[in-house]
Amino acid sequence: MNEDLQQQLLTCDKEPIHIPGAIQPHGYLLAIDKAAFTIKYMSENISGLTGLSAAELLGHDYKILFEKKNIQLRSSYLSQLKDFADDNEEQKLAALQVKINDKPWFLLAHKSAGNIVLEFEPADTKMDIEIQQVLGASVSQILDGNNINRSLQNAAKKIKEIIHYERIMIYKFWEDGHGEVIAEEKEEDQEAFLGLHYPASDIPKQARELYKINLTRIIADVPATTVPLLAQGTNGNATPLDLTHSSLRAVSPIHIEYLKNMGVLASYSISLIVNNQLWGLIACHNSAPKFIDHKAREATKLIGQILSSAIEYREEESSKNSYRHYTSSINEIIKSLQDNDTIIKALVESSAHIMSLTSAKGLAIVFGNELYTNGITPPTEAITELRDWLAENNDQQIYHTESLSAEYKPAANWVLDASGLLACELSKEMGEYIFWFKPEIIKTVNWAGNPEKLEVKDVNGNIRISPRRSFESWMEQVKQHSDPWTRGEFAAVIKLREDVIQAISLKANQLRLLNEKLQQAYDELDTFSFTISHDLKTPLASVKNYTEILLEENTSFSDDEINMLRRIVKGADKMHVLINEVLAYSRIGRKNITGEEINMNELAEELVTEIRTAYKDIQPAIRVSELPPLYGDRTMLNQLFTNLLSNAVKYSSKKQTPEISFSGENFPHETVYKITDNGIGIDMSFGNQIFDIFKRMSNAASYEGSGVGLSIVKRIVERHNGKIWYESELGNGTVFYLSFPKQRNTL
Ligand code: ADP
């Protein structure tokens, strides 16, 4: 809507329609002071009824009016009025039938500020019996069965039977305030208005407020000249009389103009109030002036109230049904959130339930680094882009639109699948969302006249809303729009969000607890390893020492016995090594890495010297090429290369000439080292099993070892974010490759 138009609407919204200063000419009005009972206001035409001038009436005791012979009033009414004035609760007095000039009239009394307003209206006694008959049958017919359309239609029909207007329409107000004719009773020769839409501006805001307070309104003769109200001591600044509750209230000239333009000369409407909101109107039109008396209005008001109750009941039923459906779906989702160890797994598993929380045709879940879709959705790249746009531009936890392309241009490429979006933000920082998509529905809205052409300037040049001149049906094709999102859908999605967020924080808490437990377990394992190794090493040392003493000091042992004792010593040594290695292995995972640039040529030289000393009998040929430096933990890398080089020598030691080579090369993103031997080789079908702790190949049985070395190597490589793999041929040797990323900050 353009700004001008909005301004016009505002102007119209400001018209003080409750104090028009005039009444319709079919009745008389006077207002008396609640305390003094003097006449404060009167409609100008009262003089015609009483023969008394305004000067004779205004400011005088109201009884002067009823002393006139032509107004026949029960004397008790005056004391009833006094009681009414004193009663702070009562706002309205029951209508009283009076005779004026021997004709039946209704006298209606209500309070307005410090006044009691008395209104005289003609009564149509002929109608009484008819009303009784129609009303009797109405209730059951309006509440008939489960069909709300039938209830609406019956209500319209009953009202037509009571008031005999040519056209009875039932409007329903949409959430944006515009109205649609959803039921109609009319004369056969009249053009149908059923299905037509009326712009929200046709009924300004303050009129809607009045419709909620005063449930029926009649304009008996649209073109008739209104009768001004005169106030006591009027000098132009008397407080205007508030006619909110008046039945004779003159209506806004704009509205009169509007009705005339529509060809309506009598108009009557009944409010439909559902859950304290103006749900709709029963609007009755007649092409000739036609008054409806108080009794008939009361009867139709009753029909309106019955219909309102029927609608309220229906809406409650359907919202209960949806609630039941949502609750059972949400329960399934909660169950899945509890049963699954990850949120995304739970959401994906229950995606059908999540989708069914709304009438969407497509669903997307963006969580962690994953994107899951179900049903009709935009392409996956488009969903990620949409997510980025939302995270950047939207602060609402629940965002919705029926026309995404109007707000997000790229959506124009996939309007067919997703014109409507309902987005539930789970975490803005992480860009985690659930999206529901509704497809494009091309709707044809039949407007009663072009809703955009409402502007008009009054004589003073002020912009006012136009009393529409044209009601010629105007068709609008609404494209790139989906069906609207309903309040029930929002409620379900808000509830879902609560549950998912609760599950996320629960999972985070569980993870924290688990971490703490793990930390505790690690600490216990540390103490355990130390204790065990200490407790094992001490008796082991005793076993070894005492055996060695036995061997040295006792000369009476036979050769066999000496052999046995030597094997005990050897076994104890082996066990000692094993304990140290297991301890080393258990520590690698937890040890903090202290990174430094290591000169690999120097390190290799030290290692080779050590190895040559250890294998001095074998004289292995170890060739080390120029090695690129490596960034890492010195102790760990020392351990790593010692293990690999020792293995290379050990498993080639039975060859005639063991040949080992150690080389390295720089690549753009990684440094790769290579250790080659010509030893027994590894059966490659074992794959990575050789890196498992205690795993030894059958061809290595005659070589000493514990099966821990390579598992330590693998752990160290992983701690340095590197990779290790090998190539081998049984009997011909093995090549181990090690690759380390060049990026240091990953350590
Ligand atoms: P071990 O103490 O037995 O050498 P490792 O963990 O170092 O334990 O190695 C695991 C197994 O992998 C060895 O038992 C052996 O079967 C095989 N292996 C490791 N390195 C070599 C190699 N260079 N040549 C042949 N086999 C090897």
Side-chain angles (χ1 to χ4, degrees):
M1 191 186 292
N2 64 39
E3 263 176 30
D4 276 2
L5 192 56
Q6 249 167 5
Q7 180 54 47
Q8 292 148 26
L9 296 184
L10 284 175
T11 319
C12 191
D13 274 347
K14 281 185 190 133
E15 190 182 353
I17 60 174
H18 62 296
I19 45 166
I23 60 164
Q24 298 178 48
H26 60 265
Y28 306 103
L29 180 145
L30 82 154
I32 54 181
D33 186 280
K34 212 168 73 174
F37 278 76
T38 50
I39 301 173
K40 277 175 72 185
Y41 301 87
M42 58 173 261
S43 57
E44 204 177 40
N45 58 358
I46 281 219
S47 302
L49 172 76
T50 56
L52 294 168
S53 70
E56 284 169 301
L57 286 168
L58 287 173
H60 292 88
D61 192 294
Y62 77 112
K63 277 191 194 131
I64 185 172
L65 189 82
F66 299 111
E67 279 157 6
K68 287 278 149 188
K69 289 274 174 313
N70 56 345
I71 304 180
Q72 293 159 24
L73 193 70
R74 262 198 339 249
S75 57
S76 60
Y77 187 73
L78 299 182
S79 57
Q80 213 179 327
L81 263 186
K82 276 226 153 44
D83 293 343
F84 175 57
D86 295 339
D87 188 335
N88 288 332
E89 302 287 303
E90 289 298 318
Q91 290 305 314
K92 252 186 184 161
L93 204 56
L96 179 80
Q97 279 221 13
V98 290
K99 283 235 157 89
I100 299 179
N101 297 333
D102 285 330
K103 290 215 173 78
W105 285 68
F106 277 112
L107 173 52
L108 311 167
H110 73 268
K111 287 180 188 150
S112 170
N115 308 299
I116 293 176
V117 179
L118 298 173
E119 293 177 281
F120 295 91
E121 278 190 15
D124 186 351
T125 39
K126 292 199 301 294
M127 284 178 87
D128 286 5
I129 304 155
E130 221 174 306
I131 291 171
Q132 292 305 333
Q133 283 168 350
V134 176
L135 263 190
S138 295
V139 183
S140 61
Q141 284 180 19
I142 293 169
L143 298 176
D144 176 26
N146 289 328
N147 192 327
I148 195 69
N149 286 334
R150 214 162 33 228
S151 300
L152 294 167
Q153 203 58 48
N154 277 330
K157 204 162 146 206
K158 293 294 153 195
I159 286 171
K160 194 165 187 332
E161 283 170 21
I162 294 175
I163 67 170
H164 302 291
Y165 268 37
E166 290 153 357
R167 188 193 298 276
I168 317 290
M169 292 176 281
I170 302 188
Y171 282 153
K172 176 192 158 112
F173 291 124
W174 287 74
E175 277 185 37
D176 64 1
H178 94 267
E180 181 187 350
V181 181
I182 55 168
E184 183 181 41
E185 276 291 315
K186 59 170 191 66
E187 299 300 313
E188 259 174 34
D189 56 341
Q190 277 183 322
E191 179 196 346
F193 287 173
L194 186 70
L196 285 186
H197 293 246
Y198 287 77
S201 50
D202 273 6
I203 304 173
K205 203 167 132 238
Q206 78 280 39
R208 282 170 205 252
E209 286 309 310
L210 272 187
Y211 289 4
K212 273 163 77 177
I213 302 170
N214 211 344
L215 299 184
T216 63
R217 280 114 358 230
I218 178 154
I219 310 165
D221 185 348
V222 170
T225 315
T226 57
V227 179
L229 286 185
L230 305 177
Q232 180 193 357
T234 304
N235 51 13
N237 50 20
T239 316
L241 184 63
D242 183 340
L243 293 184
T244 299
H245 294 279
S246 154
S247 60
L248 288 172
R249 181 173 64 85
V251 297
S252 145
I254 298 177
H255 189 52
I256 293 292
E257 197 57 25
Y258 175 96
L259 291 172
K260 278 191 199 159
N261 288 337
M262 222 199 291
V264 173
L265 295 193
S267 161
Y268 175 57
S269 67
I270 307 154
S271 310
L272 295 173
I273 308 286
V274 173
N275 291 322
N276 299 322
Q277 297 300 321
L278 187 66
W279 182 93
L281 285 182
I282 305 176
C284 315
H285 289 169
N286 208 45
S287 61
K290 190 167 175 61
F291 176 66
I292 304 163
D293 89 334
H294 171 73
K295 208 163 206 163
R297 292 204 308 272
E298 286 298 294
T300 54
K301 185 162 100 183
L302 186 64
I303 292 178
Q305 282 164 334
I306 296 166
L307 182 62
S308 295
S309 311
I311 297 167
E312 192 163 312
Y313 175 76
R314 284 268 91 214
E315 293 204 337
E316 246 162 50
E317 267 300 284
S318 97
S319 90
K320 263 190 216 151
N321 281 342
S322 331
Y323 183 75
R324 257 181 244 127
H325 165 76
Y326 294 149
T327 325
S328 91
S329 295
I330 293 234
N331 284 344
E332 291 296 324
I333 302 165
I334 294 176
K335 197 169 160 302
S336 168
L337 284 166
Q338 286 162 349
D339 292 351
N340 280 291
D341 42 333
T342 67
I343 301 285
I344 181 75
K345 238 162 102 192
L347 294 179
V348 170
E349 190 186 276
S350 49
S351 62
H353 291 295
I354 297 179
M355 178 116 107
S356 79
L357 293 180
T358 73
S359 58
K361 293 282 179 287
L363 175 79
I365 301 168
V366 198
F367 198 88
N369 288 326
E370 299 192 46
L371 167 64
Y372 170 85
T373 62
N374 190 349
I376 306 166
T377 66
T380 47
E381 326 79 67
I383 296 176
T384 322
E385 282 164 19
L386 170 67
R387 186 270 313 263
D388 296 344
W389 172 78
L390 257 188
E392 192 144 313
N393 297 290
N394 170 54
D395 283 327
Q396 292 156 277
Q397 291 168 341
I398 308 284
Y399 166 87
H400 79 281
T401 171
E402 285 157 30
S403 181
L404 184 58
S405 59
E407 297 175 43
Y408 176 60
K409 291 281 162 281
N413 296 321
W414 26 266
V415 276
L416 219 62
D417 297 336
S419 277
L421 168 71
L422 177 60
C424 166
E425 171 201 295
L426 297 175
S427 160
K428 196 177 164 74
E429 294 71 36
M430 311 277 283
E432 291 173 340
Y433 287 87
I434 303 179
F435 295 138
W436 288 261
F437 298 105
K438 283 189 184 178
E440 179 183 31
I441 304 283
I442 300 179
K443 260 190 307 205
T444 305
V445 180
N446 293 310
W447 290 104
N450 185 342
E452 296 291 327
K453 293 195 172 162
L454 298 166
E455 65 265 44
V456 75
K457 280 189 183 171
D458 68 12
V459 279
N460 303 322
N462 294 327
I463 304 163
R464 305 209 71 151
I465 186 80
S466 145
R468 299 168 48 194
R469 275 170 228 295
S470 161
F471 286 87
E472 216 169 283
S473 157
W474 191 84
M475 251 205 220
E476 186 190 11
Q477 270 233 320
V478 185
K479 286 184 179 165
Q480 306 206 349
H481 273 70
S482 71
D483 273 343
W485 300 97
T486 65
R487 254 176 263 153
E489 290 176 328
F490 294 138
V493 169
I494 289 168
K495 172 81 176 68
L496 171 75
R497 184 174 186 275
E498 290 296 304
D499 290 326
V500 175
I501 293 209
Q502 197 181 37
I504 293 174
S505 70
L506 204 72
K507 287 251 158 18
N509 256 344
Q510 281 169 349
L511 213 65
R512 191 175 50 77
L513 286 179
L514 218 61
N515 247 329
E516 279 169 10
K517 274 192 186 155
L518 200 69
Q519 182 68 35
Q520 220 174 354
Y522 262 133
D523 290 345
E524 278 167 14
L525 197 69
D526 245 10
T527 328
F528 177 76
S529 312
F530 271 118
T531 323
I532 283 281
S533 57
H534 183 261
D535 290 359
L536 284 179
K537 275 176 176 173
T538 320
L540 203 62
S542 307
V543 169
K544 189 187 165 185
N545 290 343
Y546 287 119
T547 315
E548 278 172 345
I549 292 170
L550 273 179
L551 272 170
E552 271 170 34
E553 293 183 358
N554 205 326
T555 46
S556 61
F557 284 133
S558 67
D559 282 354
D560 274 357
E561 285 165 337
I562 288 171
N563 255 341
M564 274 195 248
L565 289 172
R566 282 204 180 121
R567 278 167 77 176
I568 291 175
V569 174
K570 224 173 155 188
D573 281 341
K574 204 172 164 185
M575 209 158 160
H576 187 81
V577 172
L578 197 65
I579 289 169
N580 280 344
E581 284 192 340
V582 170
L583 207 60
Y585 174 80
S586 77
R587 283 194 184 147
I588 286 166
R590 305 200 46 222
K591 193 175 174 277
N592 283 338
I593 287 191
T594 35
E596 60 180 300
E597 173 114 349
I598 290 164
N599 183 330
M600 285 297 289
N601 295 311
E602 283 173 18
L603 180 76
E605 205 181 307
E606 278 169 36
L607 297 182
V608 170
T609 317
E610 275 171 30
I611 287 166
R612 286 219 170 95
T613 322
Y615 288 91
K616 55 181 181 297
D617 311 340
I618 305 167
Q619 293 288 329
I622 306 177
R623 223 167 1 95
V624 182
S625 327
E626 179 70 20
L627 297 171
L630 180 59
Y631 185 86
D633 185 289
R634 180 176 289 277
T635 322
M636 285 193 193
L637 293 177
N638 193 318
Q639 202 173 2
L640 184 160
F641 289 106
T642 308
N643 274 333
L644 288 176
L645 288 168
S646 324
N647 274 354
V649 176
K650 180 168 73 178
Y651 293 110
S652 318
S653 58
K654 291 183 185 168
K655 280 282 159 93
Q656 200 113 63
T657 37
E659 283 174 16
I660 286 86
S661 74
F662 185 9
S663 62
E665 201 178 335
N666 258 331
F667 293 92
H669 300 294
E670 56 183 352
T671 308
V672 178
Y673 299 94
K674 197 168 144 187
I675 293 171
T676 314
D677 66 58
N678 61 344
I680 59 172
I682 304 168
D683 181 349
M684 285 195 70
S685 63
F686 285 101
N688 273 355
Q689 278 185 43
I690 59 160
F691 298 110
D692 292 350
I693 191 161
F694 303 131
K695 195 87 192 173
R696 306 202 69 216
M697 307 294 114
S698 55
N699 62 344
S702 61
Y703 296 80
E704 287 213 345
S706 59
V708 181
L710 281 188
S711 59
I712 292 179
V713 165
K714 179 105 179 9
R715 273 196 150 188
I716 294 176
V717 171
E718 280 169 357
R719 289 299 310 270
H720 285 76
N721 299 320
K723 282 176 270 181
I724 180 165
W725 67 102
Y726 68 97
E727 277 169 18
S728 187
E729 202 185 330
L730 276 173
N732 275 331
T734 308
V735 189
F736 275 97
Y737 296 92
L738 295 145
S739 134
F740 296 94
K742 280 199 166 157
Q743 211 147 6
R744 291 171 178 195
N745 55 9
T746 46
L747 283 189

